[in-house]
Amino acid sequence: MTRQESETTFGRVNERLSSVLRKYSDTQFGKYALIGPTLFVVAVLMIFPTIILLSYSFNPYDQGAIQAGSTLAHYVRAFTTTLYQDTLVRTIKIAVIVTIIDFVLGFPLAYAAVRKGGWMGKLIVIATLAPLTIDLVVRSFGWFILLNGTGVINSTLMELGLVTRGNAPQLLFNETGIIIGLSHVMLPFMVFPIINVMHTIPHDLEEAAQNLGANRLTVFTRILVPLALPGISAGILITFVVSLASYVTPALLGGGVRVIPVVITETFTSTSNWPFASALSMILVGVALLVIIAYQRVLKEMEGVGGV
Amino acid sequence: MATSDDSARSIRFDQLVSRAGSIGYRALIWATIVFLLSPLVVVVIISFQESAYATWPPQGFTLEHYTALPNQLGFLGVEEALFVSVELAVATGIVSTVLGALAAFAIVRYDFKYQTTLETILISPLIYPWIVVGLSLLLFINRVGDILGLTIELNFWTLLLGHVMFTLPYPIRTIGASLQNYDDSLEEAAQNLGATELESYLRVTVPLIQPGLMSGFVFAFILSFNQYIVSLFLSGPETTTMPLVLFSLFYNTAPATLAAIATLLMAGVLSVIFVMEYLFGISDFM
Amino acid sequence: MDSADGAEIAIQYDGVTKEYGDLKAVNDVSFDVKDGELLALLGPSGSGKTTTLRMLAGFEKPTEGTISLAGDDVTHVPTHKRDTGMVFQDYALFPHMTVGDNIAFGLKRQGFEKGEIQERIDEVLDMVDLQGFADRNPRNLSGGQQQRVATARAIAIEPEVMLMDEPLGALDKKLRDQLEVELTELQADLGITTLYVTHNQEEALTIADRIAVMNEGEIEQIASPIEVYEEPATEFVADFIGDTNFLEGDLHETDGRVVLDIEGTEVDVNAAGVPANGGAVFVRPEKMNAREAGYTDESVNTLPGTVTRRLFLGSKVRYFVDIGRNVVTVDDSNKHGTTLHEPGDDVVLSWSVHDTRLAHG
């Protein structure tokens, strides 16, 4: 058989590379060679830096400089100072409220996207996907236009005579602003995992349940929620943890109301107290780790990388 | 005991409840869609109205916020930042997609001893706090510099490290999904017909998982392009990215000007997505 | 290599074993396929037949043993350098290429010129009766058409041997019957040595020159279709191929005859002796006749029984007859003058001693 290619450079590279691929394709070396670079990147760029972050969080900070030794002072300060206590509680409260709002809005939306299908399903998917692709600053700017004192919402309310300039609700530069902005940012993270799992639930099941006399509420609580649980829990966990660690939206819409990531950034950029910034960050890491461990359980049920 | 009249009434009541429920459900869906799109739409509207401030209702129609842009962009630092951001997003997209493709291939084709743990580690950057990625990498780079006894300057490459790190899970997911839909016997068929291993991957596997590859690339590109907090920690003086500039413009420039810049950015990103969807059908794996 | 070189053996498996961990998928298999022959590997799923085929293509490496193609040891030759053309169970047509490009794929690898490739595409599409399909997308073809394209793609490269892995498995019965005939004709016309994997015994009986029956990684028997059916070497083969009545009773040797004692009635068995590990006596349903009660004939085996069910199948009548220890199936041909028995009727079953076979356990 004549293989003209073998005389060209490509032909030689081709033969060489293919014989290497063949030699290692079904070996331990082969599979770790494939996954190795990515594991290396994750280990070197996530795990090691986190360990260094952890070590910084124990470094004493005195007279404007980082000192040798180890101390729990930064954690004590974070959990016992009223200012930081309040910030921690507020950050968690906001993340919880955002998660609840997004589930209440996101589940019906995901359900409609899958069951309605057609142009309505497409519209929902596009409407959910579009904000995800737009810069956070731009989205916060959109909310600024909508929510500020003379913004779209208050102007409209005043136009309708429902409120006056004096008693118009303050929707911006407070927790409300952060919650609205973050709910918008996080909604796609709630909707897509639920859409994915909803695709795998046959519609017949709901009809069968209704046929057996179940009303809509029963179908929802007894059929949909249990079957969609892997998607729901993934959505809830992601929404909660990412809300907790969000910086841009709270920084732009919160005004003087601050959350932990805002405090971390301020501490890091305006003081040299890296240890305290590190300790606050480690609290976020701790929550993320808990969620990752829980998420592994969820992942197990969702089978493979394509599921989530 | 219920009379027939009672039961008729209760059926009517049930119908009423279910009617109200379905109207309420529809209203909720539409309200949510409005909620999702309104912050984007108002930015576009504001950019076309006459006042320099974000006043409502919009007054008149003008293109002057756009026509005035070319003179302002250089002064605002937008031009340079846009260049850095595009360059960074393309580099991040390519590196993440290549690494993610290899990892996805390994996960789908081979069995690992701790498969679930491995998959969790690989996709954990998905929920790892971005602020921690930025801060800890900065500390890490400093520490490495200390150990090596030199000062590592923050530049394009330090930014790229952070961006690759947090975008990696997306290509792994999209490519993994497309590989799971792919029939391995096609590679065998190619080799049986005389193709080498390399040829069978390049001519059969890669073209067929292209939508997964491309949507992984687009995901990584967009996430990198929009990333603020990681860049805040890792960018050097020469490498200010677009989101950093937008953030600083937020309260420091006329809203209508910012709206015009934002509208152009949205148009740019959405056209990239539409072109990729038209060319490669990426939406199947989004 | 052609037979002028004196090489009559196209494919040779020698002591081939394939292990996956502790599992022996293929266990010490040896056989030859002659030039131009069609050998069917027949067996239930998990019997190792597909693994055996895939090792010849080079998709799997044997743990032990050697495989030769046209006299050359190819055990360690990479897939793309083996001169085989494979038709896959699900056809494995490249969905991103037209029918023509699918066929051209192998030809391009061999370095043919554009014009030659075009000619060859037309030629093979003509052979499988798909003239003018070159520009079609394989996704838009019917199952039967896809099967033909897969065959055309494999024969286009003029391989030394054809490998077919359940090539008709995904088709409905009528289409399968038709394609069985077409495939056999094509194979005979081209004179191409073929290894054909199937779990469908009818298909194997119809198309194969010889059948290798596989079970649990081993070859139970390798012989012509007639021999495999009429003289199955083992109980497994007797059971797997065709309908079989196993007769239960006490097997022993008296006066140089092998006899099966069924509840006092003796039946002569066509065997030279009783194997050490016993064996199973069986008769095919169509070899038996159901006669009126009281029928006697010293020259054949007879056994009384009672009809429990009757199925009228048009060309034949199938009776289920209770013979005490078990129920046997009897197929009577529906010829003029045949009297039909009713369920509950007492009958006498008769069949020749020659058809009373003994299979090894």
Side-chain angles (χ1 to χ4, degrees), chain C residues 183-230:
Chain C
L183 273 184
T184 340
E185 281 174 1
L186 188 63
Q187 189 265 342
D189 283 353
L190 296 171
I192 187 166
T193 315
T194 304
L195 199 55
Y196 189 109
V197 161
T198 180
H199 69 277
N200 183 326
Q201 40 122 346
E202 268 179 50
E203 195 174 303
L205 291 172
T206 315
I207 62 157
D209 295 319
R210 280 192 305 153
I211 298 175
V213 184
M214 291 193 72
N215 181 35
E216 295 181 347
E218 294 178 23
I219 292 182
E220 296 259 340
Q221 183 176 16
I222 180 161
S224 73
I226 294 173
E227 202 179 332
V228 165
Y229 184 80
E230 298 290 355

Coordinates of all heavy atoms in Angstrom, one line a residue, chain C residues 183-230:
Chain C
L183 N -25.8 -9.3 0.7 CA -24.4 -9.3 1.3 C -23.7 -10.6 0.9 O -22.5 -10.5 0.5 CB -24.5 -9.3 2.8 CG -24.5 -7.9 3.5 CD1 -24.5 -8.1 5.0 CD2 -23.4 -7.0 3.0
T184 N -24.4 -11.7 0.9 CA -23.7 -13.0 0.5 C -23.3 -12.9 -0.9 O -22.2 -13.4 -1.3 CB -24.7 -14.2 0.8 OG1 -25.7 -13.8 1.7 CG2 -23.9 -15.3 1.3
E185 N -24.2 -12.4 -1.8 CA -23.9 -12.3 -3.2 C -22.7 -11.4 -3.4 O -21.8 -11.8 -4.2 CB -25.1 -11.8 -4.0 CG -26.1 -12.9 -4.3 CD -27.4 -12.3 -4.9 OE1 -27.4 -11.1 -5.2 OE2 -28.3 -13.1 -5.1
L186 N -22.7 -10.3 -2.8 CA -21.6 -9.3 -2.9 C -20.3 -10.0 -2.5 O -19.2 -9.9 -3.1 CB -21.9 -8.1 -2.1 CG -20.9 -6.9 -2.2 CD1 -21.0 -6.4 -3.7 CD2 -21.3 -5.8 -1.3
Q187 N -20.3 -10.7 -1.3 CA -19.1 -11.3 -0.7 C -18.6 -12.4 -1.7 O -17.4 -12.5 -1.9 CB -19.5 -11.9 0.6 CG -18.3 -12.4 1.4 CD -18.1 -13.9 1.3 OE1 -19.0 -14.6 0.8 NE2 -16.9 -14.3 1.6
A188 N -19.5 -13.1 -2.3 CA -19.1 -14.2 -3.2 C -18.5 -13.6 -4.5 O -17.5 -14.0 -5.0 CB -20.3 -15.1 -3.5
D189 N -19.2 -12.5 -5.0 CA -18.7 -11.9 -6.2 C -17.3 -11.3 -6.0 O -16.4 -11.5 -6.9 CB -19.6 -10.7 -6.6 CG -20.9 -11.1 -7.2 OD1 -21.0 -12.3 -7.5 OD2 -21.8 -10.3 -7.4
L190 N -17.0 -10.7 -4.9 CA -15.7 -10.1 -4.6 C -14.7 -11.1 -4.1 O -13.5 -10.9 -4.2 CB -15.8 -9.0 -3.5 CG -16.7 -7.8 -3.9 CD1 -16.9 -6.9 -2.7 CD2 -16.0 -7.0 -5.0
G191 N -15.3 -12.3 -3.7 CA -14.4 -13.4 -3.2 C -13.6 -12.9 -2.0 O -12.5 -13.3 -1.8
I192 N -14.2 -12.1 -1.2 CA -13.5 -11.5 -0.1 C -13.7 -12.3 1.2 O -14.8 -12.6 1.6 CB -13.9 -10.0 0.1 CG1 -13.0 -9.3 1.1 CG2 -15.3 -9.9 0.5 CD1 -13.1 -7.8 1.1
T193 N -12.6 -12.6 1.9 CA -12.6 -13.3 3.1 C -13.3 -12.5 4.2 O -13.1 -11.3 4.3 CB -11.2 -13.6 3.6 OG1 -10.4 -14.1 2.5 CG2 -11.2 -14.6 4.8
T194 N -14.3 -13.1 4.9 CA -15.1 -12.3 5.8 C -15.3 -13.0 7.1 O -15.5 -14.2 7.2 CB -16.5 -12.1 5.1 OG1 -16.4 -11.5 3.9 CG2 -17.4 -11.2 6.0
L195 N -15.1 -12.2 8.2 CA -15.4 -12.7 9.5 C -16.7 -11.9 10.0 O -16.7 -10.7 9.9 CB -14.3 -12.3 10.4 CG -14.2 -13.1 11.8 CD1 -14.2 -14.6 11.5 CD2 -12.9 -12.7 12.5
Y196 N -17.7 -12.6 10.3 CA -19.0 -12.1 10.5 C -19.6 -12.4 11.9 O -19.8 -13.6 12.2 CB -19.9 -12.7 9.4 CG -21.3 -12.0 9.2 CD1 -21.6 -11.3 8.1 CD2 -22.3 -12.3 10.1 CE1 -22.8 -10.7 7.9 CE2 -23.6 -11.7 9.9 CZ -23.8 -10.9 8.8 OH -25.1 -10.4 8.6
V197 N -19.8 -11.4 12.7 CA -20.3 -11.6 14.1 C -21.8 -11.5 14.1 O -22.3 -10.5 13.6 CB -19.6 -10.6 15.1 CG1 -20.4 -10.6 16.3 CG2 -18.2 -11.1 15.4
T198 N -22.5 -12.4 14.7 CA -23.9 -12.3 14.8 C -24.4 -13.1 16.0 O -23.7 -14.1 16.4 CB -24.7 -12.7 13.6 OG1 -26.1 -12.6 13.8 CG2 -24.4 -14.2 13.2
H199 N -25.5 -12.7 16.6 CA -26.1 -13.5 17.7 C -27.3 -14.2 17.1 O -28.0 -14.9 17.8 CB -26.5 -12.6 18.9 CG -27.6 -11.7 18.6 ND1 -27.4 -10.5 17.9 CD2 -29.0 -11.8 18.8 CE1 -28.6 -9.9 17.7 NE2 -29.6 -10.7 18.2
N200 N -27.6 -14.0 15.8 CA -28.8 -14.5 15.2 C -28.5 -15.8 14.5 O -27.8 -15.8 13.4 CB -29.3 -13.4 14.3 CG -30.6 -13.8 13.6 OD1 -30.9 -15.0 13.3 ND2 -31.5 -12.8 13.3
Q201 N -29.0 -16.9 15.0 CA -28.5 -18.2 14.5 C -29.1 -18.4 13.0 O -28.4 -19.0 12.2 CB -29.0 -19.3 15.4 CG -30.3 -19.1 16.0 CD -31.3 -20.3 15.7 OE1 -31.0 -21.1 14.8 NE2 -32.4 -20.3 16.4
E202 N -30.3 -17.9 12.8 CA -30.8 -18.0 11.4 C -29.9 -17.3 10.4 O -29.7 -17.8 9.3 CB -32.2 -17.4 11.3 CG -33.3 -18.4 11.6 CD -34.7 -17.7 11.5 OE1 -35.0 -17.0 10.5 OE2 -35.5 -17.9 12.5
E203 N -29.5 -16.1 10.8 CA -28.6 -15.3 9.9 C -27.3 -16.1 9.6 O -26.9 -16.2 8.5 CB -28.3 -14.0 10.6 CG -27.8 -12.9 9.7 CD -27.7 -11.6 10.5 OE1 -28.7 -11.1 11.0 OE2 -26.5 -11.1 10.7
A204 N -26.8 -16.6 10.7 CA -25.5 -17.4 10.5 C -25.7 -18.6 9.6 O -24.9 -18.8 8.7 CB -25.0 -17.8 11.9
L205 N -26.8 -19.3 9.8 CA -27.1 -20.5 9.0 C -27.2 -20.1 7.6 O -26.8 -20.8 6.7 CB -28.3 -21.2 9.5 CG -28.2 -21.9 10.9 CD1 -29.6 -22.4 11.3 CD2 -27.2 -23.1 10.8
T206 N -27.9 -19.0 7.3 CA -28.1 -18.6 5.9 C -26.9 -18.2 5.2 O -26.7 -18.5 4.0 CB -29.1 -17.4 5.9 OG1 -30.2 -17.6 6.8 CG2 -29.7 -17.1 4.5
I207 N -26.0 -17.4 5.8 CA -25.0 -16.7 5.0 C -23.6 -17.4 5.1 O -22.8 -17.2 4.3 CB -24.8 -15.2 5.5 CG1 -24.4 -15.2 6.9 CG2 -26.1 -14.4 5.2 CD1 -23.7 -13.9 7.2
A208 N -23.4 -18.2 6.2 CA -22.0 -18.5 6.5 C -21.6 -19.8 5.7 O -22.4 -20.6 5.4 CB -21.8 -18.8 8.0
D209 N -20.3 -19.8 5.3 CA -19.7 -21.0 4.8 C -19.4 -22.0 6.0 O -19.7 -23.2 5.9 CB -18.4 -20.8 4.1 CG -18.6 -19.9 2.8 OD1 -19.6 -20.2 2.1 OD2 -17.8 -19.0 2.6
R210 N -18.9 -21.4 7.1 CA -18.7 -22.1 8.3 C -19.1 -21.3 9.5 O -19.1 -20.0 9.4 CB -17.2 -22.5 8.5 CG -16.9 -23.8 7.6 CD -15.5 -24.3 8.1 NE -14.5 -23.3 8.0 CZ -13.4 -23.3 8.7 NH1 -13.2 -24.2 9.6 NH2 -12.5 -22.3 8.6
I211 N -19.5 -21.9 10.5 CA -19.9 -21.2 11.7 C -19.0 -21.6 12.9 O -18.8 -22.8 13.1 CB -21.4 -21.5 12.1 CG1 -22.3 -21.1 11.0 CG2 -21.8 -20.8 13.4 CD1 -23.8 -21.5 11.2
A212 N -18.6 -20.6 13.6 CA -17.9 -20.9 14.9 C -18.8 -20.5 16.0 O -19.1 -19.3 16.2 CB -16.6 -20.1 15.0
V213 N -19.3 -21.5 16.8 CA -20.2 -21.2 17.9 C -19.4 -20.9 19.1 O -18.6 -21.7 19.5 CB -21.2 -22.3 18.1 CG1 -22.2 -21.9 19.2 CG2 -21.9 -22.7 16.8
M214 N -19.7 -19.7 19.7 CA -18.9 -19.3 20.9 C -19.8 -19.2 22.1 O -20.9 -18.9 22.0 CB -18.2 -17.9 20.6 CG -17.1 -18.0 19.6 SD -16.1 -16.5 19.6 CE -15.2 -16.7 21.2
N215 N -19.2 -19.6 23.2 CA -19.8 -19.6 24.5 C -18.8 -19.3 25.6 O -17.8 -20.0 25.7 CB -20.6 -20.9 24.8 CG -21.4 -20.9 26.1 OD1 -21.9 -19.8 26.5 ND2 -21.4 -22.0 26.7
E216 N -19.1 -18.3 26.4 CA -18.2 -18.0 27.5 C -16.7 -17.9 27.1 O -15.8 -18.5 27.8 CB -18.4 -19.0 28.7 CG -19.8 -18.8 29.3 CD -20.0 -19.8 30.4 OE1 -19.2 -20.7 30.6 OE2 -21.0 -19.6 31.1
G217 N -16.5 -17.2 26.0 CA -15.1 -17.0 25.6 C -14.4 -18.1 24.9 O -13.2 -18.0 24.5
E218 N -15.1 -19.3 24.7 CA -14.5 -20.4 24.0 C -15.3 -20.8 22.8 O -16.5 -20.5 22.7 CB -14.4 -21.6 24.9 CG -13.4 -21.3 26.1 CD -13.3 -22.4 27.0 OE1 -13.6 -23.6 26.6 OE2 -12.9 -22.2 28.2
I219 N -14.6 -21.4 21.8 CA -15.3 -21.9 20.6 C -15.8 -23.3 21.0 O -15.1 -24.2 21.3 CB -14.4 -21.9 19.4 CG1 -14.1 -20.5 19.0 CG2 -15.1 -22.7 18.3 CD1 -13.3 -20.4 17.7
E220 N -17.2 -23.5 20.9 CA -17.8 -24.8 21.2 C -17.7 -25.8 20.0 O -17.5 -27.0 20.2 CB -19.2 -24.6 21.6 CG -19.4 -23.8 22.9 CD -19.7 -24.7 24.1 OE1 -20.1 -25.8 23.9 OE2 -19.5 -24.2 25.2
Q221 N -17.9 -25.2 18.8 CA -17.8 -26.0 17.6 C -17.5 -25.1 16.4 O -18.0 -24.0 16.4 CB -19.2 -26.7 17.4 CG -19.1 -27.7 16.2 CD -20.4 -28.4 16.0 OE1 -21.5 -28.1 16.7 NE2 -20.4 -29.5 15.2
I222 N -16.8 -25.6 15.5 CA -16.6 -24.8 14.3 C -16.8 -25.8 13.1 O -16.1 -26.8 13.0 CB -15.2 -24.1 14.2 CG1 -15.0 -23.3 13.0 CG2 -14.1 -25.1 14.5 CD1 -13.9 -22.3 13.1
A223 N -17.8 -25.5 12.3 CA -18.2 -26.5 11.2 C -19.2 -25.8 10.3 O -19.6 -24.6 10.5 CB -18.9 -27.7 11.9
S224 N -19.5 -26.5 9.2 CA -20.5 -26.0 8.2 C -21.9 -25.8 8.9 O -22.1 -26.5 9.9 CB -20.6 -26.9 7.1 OG -21.3 -28.1 7.5
P225 N -22.7 -24.9 8.4 CA -24.0 -24.7 9.0 C -24.8 -26.0 9.1 O -25.4 -26.3 10.2 CB -24.7 -23.8 8.0 CG -23.6 -23.0 7.3 CD -22.5 -24.0 7.3
I226 N -24.7 -26.9 8.1 CA -25.5 -28.2 8.2 C -25.0 -29.0 9.3 O -25.7 -29.6 10.1 CB -25.4 -28.9 6.8 CG1 -26.1 -28.1 5.7 CG2 -26.0 -30.3 6.9 CD1 -26.0 -28.7 4.3
E227 N -23.7 -29.1 9.4 CA -23.1 -29.9 10.5 C -23.4 -29.4 11.9 O -23.7 -30.1 12.8 CB -21.5 -30.0 10.2 CG -20.9 -31.2 10.9 CD -19.4 -31.2 10.6 OE1 -19.0 -30.7 9.6 OE2 -18.7 -31.7 11.5
V228 N -23.3 -28.1 12.0 CA -23.6 -27.4 13.3 C -25.0 -27.7 13.7 O -25.3 -28.0 14.8 CB -23.3 -25.9 13.2 CG1 -23.9 -25.2 14.4 CG2 -21.8 -25.7 13.2
Y229 N -25.9 -27.7 12.7 CA -27.3 -28.0 13.0 C -27.6 -29.5 13.2 O -28.2 -29.8 14.2 CB -28.2 -27.5 11.9 CG -29.7 -27.6 12.1 CD1 -30.3 -26.6 12.9 CD2 -30.4 -28.7 11.7 CE1 -31.7 -26.7 13.2 CE2 -31.8 -28.8 11.9 CZ -32.4 -27.8 12.7 OH -33.7 -27.9 13.0
E230 N -27.1 -30.3 12.3 CA -27.4 -31.7 12.4 C -26.6 -32.5 13.4 O -27.0 -33.4 14.0 CB -27.2 -32.4 11.0 CG -28.1 -31.8 9.9 CD -29.6 -32.2 10.1 OE1 -29.9 -32.9 11.0 OE2 -30.4 -31.6 9.3

